[in-house]
Amino acid sequence: MSVIEMKLEREVTADTIKIEARKVQVHYGQNHALKDVDVDILAKTVTAFIGPSGCGKSTFLRCLNRMNDTVASAKVTGSILLDGADIYDPRVDPVQLRAKVGMVFQKPNPFPKSIYDNVAYGPKIHGLTRSKAELDEVVESCLRKAALWNEVKDRLQSPGTGLSGGQQQRLCIARAIATSPEVLLMDEPCSALDPIATAQVEELIDELRSQFSVVIVTHSMQQAARVSQRTAFFHLGNLVEYGETGTIFTNPKDPRTESYITGRIG
Amino acid sequence: MSLGLLFLILLALCTAGYMIARSRAVTSARGDTRVLHSLPAFHGRFAALAMILPAVAILIVWLVVESFALRGVALSHLSPEDVPDGASMDLVMADVTRIAEGLGKLQAAGVDLAPLTADPAALKARFSEAGFAQGGDPTPHTIAAAVSMRDTAATSRLALSVVAIAASLAGLGLVLRRITPEFRARNATEFVSMGLLIGASLIAVLTTVGIVASLASETIRFFQLYPAWDFFFSADWNPKFGGGSSLGIWPLIWGTLYVSVIALLVAVPVGLFSAVYLAEYASKRTRGIVKPLIEILAGIPTIVYGLFALVTVGPLLRDWIAIPMGFGNSSSSVMTAGLVMGIMVIPFVSSLSDDIINAVPQSLRDGSLGLGATPSETIRQVVLPAALPGIVGAVLLAASRAIGETMIVVLGAGAAAQLSLNPFEAMTTVTVKIVSQLTGDTEFNSPETLVAFALGLTLFVLTLMLNIIALIIVRKYREQYE
Amino acid sequence: MTDITEHALLMPDARTKARNAAERRFRAYGLSAIVIALAALVWLLISIFSAGLPAFQQTFITFPVTLEAATLDKSGKLDIEEMKKVTTIGYGKLIAQAFEAEIAAKGITHEVKPKQLAEMISEQAGAQLRDMVLADPALVGQTITFQALANGRIDGYFKGRVTMETAARDKNTSPEKLALADQLRDAGVVAVKFNTGFLTMSDASDKRPEAAGLGVAIIGSLYMVVIVLFLALPIGVAASVYLEEFAPKNYWTDLIEVNIANLAAVPSIVYGILGLAIFINFAGLPQSAPIVGGLVLTLMTLPRIIIPTRAALKAVPPSIRDAALGVGASKLQTVTHHVLPLAMPGILTGTIIGLAQALGETAPLLLIGMVAFVKDFPGLPPEGLFSPSSALPVQIYNWTQRGDPGFVERASGAIIVLLVFLILMNTAAIILRRKYERRW
C-alpha cells in the first residue's frame, strides 16, 4: 500500500489502521503470558479488551506503549507497528513513543503536586509549549476535554491528591491527553470508581473518540458494550475473537467467547 | 561470704523450693492433679518467685546502703588534719579504699596483717613489693579507717547473707502454707510475671529520667560556680586548672556544626544518589550485593574511623591540600573529621532514603513513565518530591548522629577551641571537650569538670530535638503511604 | 504523513536527544555515588589492614641464656619468695651478657658499642625471663634457649617502618644496630615469627610497643559483652513482650514508645556521662571495671534490642495467638509457648547486632575510666567484673595517644582483631536470619 493511498484512506474513513500487531508473544520469565496475538487497532475508535483475570489483556495493552520495558523479566517478541513504524525497533525511543501513546491506569495516580502541575507535567517534560500563557491554555483545554474544568478551575493550585476518586481519574485522563497523544490506552480506568464516577468517565471516553484512538481494558462486559465499537476477547494468553462489539456480544463465533459472555467462565 | 557464693546458694534454695512446692501441691490433691486449679509446676514457680524476688531486692538495697555506710565508717576515723595541702577528702578516701583493697589481697595470699597495720612504713614497703597501686603514703589514721572499713564490710556481708537467705526461706514458708488444690497459683505467677514485664519496660523510661536527672543536677551545680550567661554567650573557651577559666560554649558549638555540615555535604549527595540508583536503576542482584556493602560502613566502630582520620586522611589532606594551598599545616582539622564522618554517615542517609523511595507507590512511577517521562525525570519530578518529607527525616537523623559523634572528632578534629572559617584548621567540638574534661583524675566540684555536664545537657537537648522532629516526620510519611 | 511519523519515531529529535543525555548523566551520578561509597569502604579497609597486619608478626631474638644460681637464687633453697627479690634489672644483665656472648660465638663483627648491644633487645625481656623462672624454679642453674622480643625499632626495621635514614636521626637506635640485626638474621639468631603475644599479653608502657598485647582488653570486652547479653536480652525481651502483647494503647505507652525510639538515637557519649554520674559517683562502683562498662552498654543496647524484638513479635500473625487462646491458654502462656519461640530468630538476630554495636563502642567507656593503663589481668567473675580492665576499642584509642609509631601498628592490628569479632557476630546473625526467617 503506497503512502499516498494510505493518506487518502485515512482522510476518508475512521477505519484507518492505527496500530498493527502481529504474532506478539510476551514471556515473564518462565511464564508465557501472551501467545501469538494479531490485532489491528483502528484510528478514532474505542477498542475494548475483555477477558477473565490473567488472560493477558493488560499485558498486551502495556506492550502498545512499551510499558513492559520497565519490568525487567518481561520479554516481548513479534511486531507492533504504529502508523507503519515498528515500535520495538531499537532506534525507537520509548520516551517519544509514550508521548504519542498515552496511558491511564487502573487506580487514579495523580502526582503529589497541584492540579495545574499534574496536567502541565507532560507538556513541560516534552517541551510542547513555549510560554506560560500557552501552557495555561493547554491545561485549561485538557481539563475541559476531561470534563473537570468547571469543578477545579478555582483551585488549580491545590493538590491533585485532594480530589475525589472520580475527579482524580479524570485528572489523570486530562494529564494523559495534555501531551496530545494519538492513542490513549486505558487499563481498567473505572475499576476503582463508584457507579456515578464510572458513568462520567465512560461518557468522557466516548467524547475522546473524536480525537484519539482509545484502547480500553475492562472487566465489565457491560462497559465494553457501552463504550466500545470493537472488542477483543482474550483467554489464557490467546486472542480468541476480535471484531465489531455488536457482533461479539450478540453472535460470538467461538464457544469460549460465548461461555464468557453468558457468565460460565471468568 | 562472697556475692557469687550467696547468689549460688539463693539459686539452689529456689530450686529446692520449686520442688517442695510442686510436690506439696501434688500431695494436697492426694495425687490427683486434675483437682488442682493450677498445674503443680505453677505452684513450684510461684514458690521460686516468692523466694528469689525479696532476696534480690534486699541484696540491691543493702549494697547501695552499704557503700554509703562504709564511707561513713571510714570518715569517722579521719579528721581534717589528715587531708594534705592541695588535696581533698576524696583523694584521701581513694587512698583508704586502695589500702583496704591491698590488705584484702594480702590476706587472700595468706599474709599476717597484724604487724603491717601497726606500721605504716612496713605496709608501704609490702605494698610496693607486691606491685599494688598506691596514692599518698599510708598514715595511722588512713590505715585505721581502712581496717574498720574492712571489718564493717565483712560483718555487713555476713549479715546480708543471713538476711537474704532468711527472706527467701520466709517466702517459701508463706507460699507452702497457702498451697491448696483451690490456690490459683497460675494467676498469682502471671500477676508477678506481669509486674516484671512492666518493670522491664519502665527501665527505658528510667534511663531517660536518669540521663536528664544526672545531667541537670550537675549542670545546676555548674551554674552555681560559673555564670550561665558566660557559658551561653561567651565566645572564649579557655579552661585553666588553677581557676579563672573562661568556659564559653560558642567555639565548641561552631566546631560541632562546622564538622557536621561538612559531613552532611559529603553524605547527603552520595547517600541520596546511591539510594536513588539502588532503588530505581539497579538490578535485584546488584542491589542485593551493593546495599549490604554500603551498610557495612554503618557497622564499623567509630574508633576505626577515628584512627583512619588520624593516620590516613589527616596527613593526606595536610600534605596534598592544606600545605600546598597555604591553608595551614595541621593534620587534624575540621575537614579531616568532616570527610571521615561523612563516609560514616553515608549509610544512615542511603538506607533510610532507600526504604522511603521504595515506599513511593509504583503507580506514580507508571503514571509518569506512561506520559513519556524519562526515568530520571520521573525520579526528580515525581518520586523525590513525594519522598521529600521522609528524606528530610533521614537527613535530620544523620545530622543528629554527626553532632553526637565522638571518636572521629576526638582523633580527627583536634582540641583547639576557636572560631575560624578555615576548614583546614584544627577546631574542637562539644563531644571532644566532654571527653577531655571528664577523663583523667577529675574532681567533681570544680567548674572545669562540671562544665562537661552542661555540655552533655546541651548535646542531649540538641540531638533530642533533631531526633523527635525526624521521628515525627518519618512517622507521618509512613502513614501517608500505608 | 506516514513518512513523517516514521521519521519522528525512528529518529529522535534534538530535545529527546538532550533528555536522553540528561538521563545518562543522572544515571552516572548515581553510579558514581555508589562507586564513591564503596571506594571509601575499600580505602578504609586497605589502610587499616596494611597498617595493622604487621602487628601479627614480631621479631624475636633467640639465644642460649645460662640461669646462674649465684645471681638468681642466692639462698640456694629455690624459695619463690626469696627469688622474687631479684628484679627484672638483674635478669636484664644476665640477658645482656648472654646476648653479647652469642654474637661473639657466631663470629659476627659489628660496629655497635658493647654497652648498646642490649638495647637491641626489648626492655620487656627481663620481665619475660623472670616470669619464666618464677613459674618453674627448677630452671635455675640450667642453660635454656631464650626467645626474647626484639626492640621496637629493630622490629620496625624488618617491617619497613624504620629505615637506615630514619635510624640515623633516631636516638633510640642507630644504623649500626640495624646492620647488626641484618647479620644476626642471616645467622639465624633474629627471626620474624607469628606473634601470639599480641593476643595474649597485657598492655605495655610507652617505650615497649613490641610487648603490648590485647589480652586484658579482649577479656574486658568479653566480660562486658557477656554482661550486656545477660542483662539486655531478658530485659529487652520482657519490655518488648509487654509493649507489644499486653500494654494498652494509651498516652503512657505511646510515651514509652517515643522514648525508646529516641534512646536509640541518643549519642553514646551521653550514656557515658550517665554511667559516670549514676554508677560511679552515686552508687560507688569502681572506675575502669567491666561491671560499670557492662551496665552502661546494657542501657545503651536495650533500645537497640527492643526495636527489632518488637518487629519480630509483630511479624507473628495474630491467627497463632487466636489459636492458642482458643484452646484455653492464658495470654502469658500464649506468648511464652507460641509467639516467643516463633519470634526467636528475629529476636536473636537483633540481639547479636546490638551486641556487636556494644562491642565496638568507645566513647562511653572513656568516661568511666576504662582508658586507664591496666597491666594486670582481671580475675574470674564475679569478682573479676569489679577489678580494673580495658576493652578492645578503648585499648585502640589508648594506643593512638602514645608517642612511639610502633603503637599505630598495634592500634591497627587491634582493629583487625575487633573487626574479626564483629564479622563473626554479624555472620552469625545473617546465618540465623537466612536459616530461620519465616515469611507469613
Side-chain angles (χ1 to χ4, degrees), chain A residues 46-111:
Chain A
V46 177
T47 308
F49 292 170
I50 59 170
S53 303
C55 65
K57 55 192 191 300
S58 285
T59 301
F60 184 60
L61 190 77
R62 292 171 71 93
C63 290
L64 298 181
N65 72 343
R66 293 184 57 175
M67 277 301 276
N68 277 330
D69 288 14
T70 60
V71 182
S73 60
K75 196 170 131 272
V76 182
T77 55
S79 72
I80 300 176
L81 307 183
L82 174 67
D83 292 329
D86 185 357
I87 64 169
Y88 278 90
D89 187 297
R91 285 172 297 168
V92 169
D93 192 323
V95 166
Q96 266 181 307
L97 170 70
R98 289 178 201 145
K100 290 186 190 301
V101 185
M103 190 157 190
V104 174
F105 297 84
Q106 192 169 357
K107 252 177 76 184
N109 55 352
F111 301 139

Side-chain angles (χ1 to χ4, degrees), chain B residues 225-384:
Chain B
L225 297 170
Y226 189 88
W229 177 269
D230 287 359
F231 175 70
F232 284 117
F233 298 101
S234 157
D236 185 29
W237 174 272
N238 186 15
K240 291 181 193 136
F241 277 95
S245 316
S246 7
L247 300 169
I249 195 174
W250 278 107
L252 313 187
I253 296 271
W254 170 250
T256 305
L257 293 183
Y258 205 166
V259 172
S260 305
V261 165
I262 292 179
L264 291 181
L265 285 180
V266 174
V268 171
V270 175
L272 198 53
F273 269 112
S274 316
V276 164
Y277 190 88
L278 289 180
E280 302 284 334
Y281 289 112
S283 68
K284 222 176 161 184
R285 217 180 113 82
T286 320
R287 192 182 143 85
I289 297 170
V290 172
K291 203 177 174 201
L293 278 179
I294 292 183
E295 278 168 4
I296 288 181
L297 286 172
I300 291 178
T302 54
I303 179 75
V304 181
Y305 287 100
L307 188 72
F308 182 55
L310 181 76
V311 178
T312 310
V313 180
L316 192 87
L317 289 180
R318 179 194 58 199
D319 297 342
W320 292 90
I321 300 181
I323 292 180
M325 298 176 79
F327 286 129
N329 56 3
S330 168
S331 96
S332 25
S333 66
V334 171
M335 187 54 93
T336 306
L339 268 184
V340 174
M341 198 189 284
I343 296 175
M344 182 197 83
V345 177
I346 289 172
F348 290 91
V349 178
S350 74
S351 278
L352 198 49
S353 301
D354 183 57
D355 291 351
I356 282 158
I357 291 172
N358 271 323
V360 173
Q362 184 61 31
S363 66
L364 287 184
R365 289 185 191 88
D366 284 349
S368 174
L369 294 172
L371 289 173
T374 63
S376 68
E377 286 162 349
T378 306
I379 293 162
R380 276 185 283 131
Q381 301 188 26
V382 177
V383 177
L384 287 184

